[in-house]
Amino acid sequence: MNQKKNATMLVVDDEQRNRELLTTLLQLEGYTVEEAQDGFEALAKSVMDIDVILLDVMMPNIDGFEVARRIRHNPLTAEIPILMVTALDGKRERIQAVEAGANDFVGKPVDRMELTVRIRSLLKIKQSQDSSKTVNDQLEQKVARQTEELRSALSKM
């Protein structure tokens, strides 16, 4: 995965102007962007081919903490990096976000340079995880194939 191109971000915020700002900043960096206006839509879209989720904390119905917890509990989405985008800056809220599954934070108002650096860092982590998963899958397939070959050879004896 190229760091700047072909990466897809999911921007989750109940305020349209915040989604539009983040979408514009991300598109200027060359990313593809999906948007969700609440936690339920975020959970539905998180199963798409998403590379990083930018998640607001304070949303109606289901807050960002709960969305992060649900994303982490779904095997299909558990490894997607989550960047909390929040006006909350208290230590307690940051600890709560980490416990819920956030990988990093960026404060509101969003600084473009900080956002870019944090996204790139999370993409490096995701790229490494994806590579490791691919290697593990290949090794498992190889072991299964060799095990089957050994069984076949032993049954012919």
Side-chain angles (χ1 to χ4, degrees):
M1 170 179 53
N2 186 315
Q3 289 279 331
K4 299 240 340 153
K5 304 221 185 306
N6 301 325
T8 302
M9 308 291 135
L10 175 59
V11 173
V12 185
D13 198 306
D14 59 314
E15 292 188 33
Q16 182 177 350
R17 70 174 199 260
N18 290 341
R19 287 193 314 274
E20 289 173 354
L21 171 66
L22 287 169
T23 295
T24 299
L25 292 175
L26 293 167
Q27 288 174 338
L28 287 171
E29 293 297 319
Y31 301 121
T32 301
V33 181
E34 290 288 331
E35 293 184 15
Q37 64 184 353
D38 62 33
F40 295 112
E41 187 177 5
L43 292 169
K45 288 188 171 185
S46 68
V47 296
M48 299 168 61
D49 190 20
I50 302 296
D51 295 295
V52 176
I53 298 172
L54 290 83
L55 182 59
D56 182 32
V57 173
M58 298 171 59
M59 295 184 293
N61 300 321
I62 176 173
D63 67 22
F65 299 129
E66 182 59 25
V67 172
R69 276 190 284 278
R70 291 184 188 188
I71 287 169
R72 290 293 175 246
H73 283 97
N74 181 343
L76 298 174
T77 59
E79 299 299 320
I80 301 172
I82 299 173
L83 177 66
M84 289 289 200
V85 183
T86 180
L88 299 175
D89 60 0
K91 183 178 179 180
R92 187 175 69 86
E93 289 86 3
R94 289 184 182 258
I95 291 170
Q96 187 176 0
V98 169
E99 288 174 342
N103 297 88
D104 205 350
F105 309 88
V106 66
K108 290 181 182 177
V110 174
D111 176 82
R112 180 178 177 185
M113 184 58 72
E114 180 183 12
L115 178 68
T116 300
V117 168
R118 292 184 186 277
I119 291 288
R120 285 181 186 159
S121 175
L122 291 173
L123 283 173
K124 285 179 186 174
I125 292 168
K126 175 117 181 2
Q127 184 177 25
S128 177
Q129 289 172 334
D130 289 351
S131 293
S132 292
K133 185 177 183 326
T134 299
V135 168
N136 285 342
D137 290 347
Q138 290 170 346
L139 287 173
E140 287 177 8
Q141 290 172 4
K142 185 176 181 177
V143 167
R145 190 172 52 250
Q146 289 177 339
T147 300
E148 186 55 38
E149 290 171 2
L150 181 60
R151 281 188 183 132
S152 178
L154 288 174
S155 69
K156 293 176 182 177
M157 295 181 121

